[in-house]
Amino acid sequence: MTLTAPRAPAPPRAAPPPRPGAARRAWRTASPYACLAPFFTLFAAFGLFPLLYTAFVSLYRVELQDPGAMEWRGLGNYTALFGDAYFWTALRNTFTIGVLSTVPQLVMALGLAHLLNYRMRGRTFLRTAVLLPYATSVAAATLVFAQLFGRDFGLINYALGLVGVDPVDWQNGTVASQIAVSSVVVWRWTGYNALIYLAGMQSIPDELYEAAAMDGASRWRQFFHVTLPGLRPTILFTVIVSTIGATQLFGEPLLLEGSISGGISHQYQTLGLYMYEQGWGFFHLGRAAAIAWVMFLLIVVLVGLNALIARRRSRKEAGR
């Protein structure tokens, strides 16, 4: 005769959690959109609507003295714009100043970030100090540089005279004035881009540098074969941002001499100055709106070209 232990009663099943009500389910679905709604509302009010309204105004003849009187012109503002020689001068100046300021700026920022990435005394202070030019106002920086590049009593011409170079008319010469404007941009934005590159460098794993050092790679080889490939997305970002900034350049050339025409012969008038001259100098708001849309389309094309070139290069390197 065998005895069997009585079977323990099964534990009671836990009751399923109550299903949330319809209001709670609706709130869970709509809450992400509610959090994003303020951003899209502000963007639509202060970004999208002005952009579309500018496109609308660019199709009309609108004068600043009477903005309510609008006369339909269609593409007349654009055809008049492309037939204006000063527009092409401003476009060429924008491209030239953009190259003169962007290329040295990014190269110097890359080298500065490489130095700041080393462990040294006062590293935190130096990283903060390189951002001070960016914190300086455009007006203050440009006025100081205008004094430095003065023709008669400027410090730059004084230093050139010490080595036997004749004084340069930095405000009236075409190339000289563009170099003067570009120097202000380089001074203000190099430290900003250097900190961006520094953040990108610190995200590169140390194991890559250790492996390169074990293979006998020098610091220069590590920089070209480890640092630069790791910084490719960061470099693309700074190139795009610098391209947008160069296309919209306004304060530096305006304050260098205080003229919206960009010098006697428009030698450093950018598209931003040209738009301001048409809208608030000659009171042609329709023409100014057309210039604004040309600048917008130019930025879209330049950013698209940069992204396309970077994507093709990444595909070629991935296929190797």
Side-chain angles (χ1 to χ4, degrees):
M1 180 176 180
T2 58
L3 299 177
T4 58
R7 181 178 298 177
R13 293 184 178 180
R19 298 183 61 184
R24 183 173 296 180
R25 290 197 304 269
W27 169 248
R28 287 182 179 179
T29 304
S31 58
Y33 301 97
C35 294
L36 294 175
F39 166 77
F40 286 104
T41 302
L42 293 175
F43 173 75
F46 299 101
L48 186 61
F49 172 75
L51 183 66
L52 297 178
Y53 186 73
T54 302
F56 171 76
V57 172
S58 68
L59 302 177
Y60 288 83
R61 177 185 178 89
V62 186
E63 300 298 327
L64 185 61
Q65 300 93 332
D66 190 9
M70 304 177 67
E71 178 185 348
W72 172 259
R73 291 199 63 188
L75 299 179
N77 286 326
Y78 293 93
T79 55
L81 182 66
F82 295 141
D84 188 359
Y86 289 130
F87 166 75
W88 298 106
T89 301
L91 181 61
R92 182 175 62 251
N93 293 339
T94 301
F95 176 78
T96 305
I97 295 175
V99 173
L100 290 176
S101 59
T102 300
V103 176
Q105 172 194 151
L106 297 184
V107 173
M108 293 171 59
L110 191 60
L112 188 60
H114 187 62
L115 294 176
L116 292 175
N117 198 31
Y118 286 110
R119 295 181 179 178
M120 61 179 73
R121 293 182 179 179
R123 181 173 56 177
T124 304
F125 170 77
L126 294 175
R127 292 177 179 178
T128 306
V130 297
L131 199 59
L132 291 179
Y134 171 73
T136 306
S137 66
V138 179
T142 307
L143 291 176
V144 170
F145 272 82
Q147 297 297 321
L148 292 176
F149 285 99
R151 183 187 61 181
D152 299 322
F153 305 103
L155 184 60
I156 304 298
N157 278 342
Y158 174 77
L160 293 176
L162 295 178
V163 295
V165 179
D166 295 333
V168 179
D169 193 352
W170 295 100
Q171 293 183 346
N172 293 325
T174 301
V175 179
S177 61
Q178 293 177 0
I179 292 176
V181 173
S182 301
S183 64
V184 185
V185 180
V186 170
W187 183 81
R188 290 194 68 243
W189 290 95
T190 297
Y192 174 84
N193 289 311
L195 291 184
I196 294 179
Y197 287 149
L198 179 62
M201 289 179 182
Q202 292 180 346
S203 65
I204 300 176
D206 294 334
E207 292 79 4
L208 298 179
Y209 291 101
E210 295 174 358
M214 293 179 62
D215 291 338
S218 61
R219 289 189 179 272
W220 280 107
R221 286 187 171 273
Q222 293 178 23
F223 177 76
F224 284 106
H225 296 284
V226 178
T227 304
L228 287 184
L231 284 180
R232 186 174 292 111
T234 308
I235 293 175
L236 177 61
F237 169 77
T238 55
V239 169
I240 291 176
V241 172
S242 299
T243 301
I244 296 174
T247 307
Q248 298 176 342
L249 195 62
F250 177 78
E252 290 83 352
L254 174 64
L255 297 173
L256 184 67
E257 190 185 5
S259 173
I260 61 176
S261 62
I264 298 176
S265 57
H266 298 250
Q267 66 270 13
Y268 60 90
Q269 186 183 51
T270 60
L271 287 175
L273 276 181
Y274 180 69
M275 178 184 65
Y276 186 86
E277 181 185 42
Q278 292 293 324
W280 284 263
F282 301 148
F283 310 125
H284 303 323
L285 292 183
R287 182 82 63 87
I291 299 170
W293 254 87
V294 169
M295 292 173 60
F296 172 74
L297 295 177
L298 180 63
I299 290 174
V300 172
V301 170
L302 292 177
V303 171
L305 286 176
N306 287 330
L308 182 62
I309 293 173
R311 183 176 299 179
R312 286 186 175 181
R313 188 169 183 178
S314 300
R315 287 180 179 177
K316 287 182 180 179
E317 293 183 355
R320 291 179 180 177

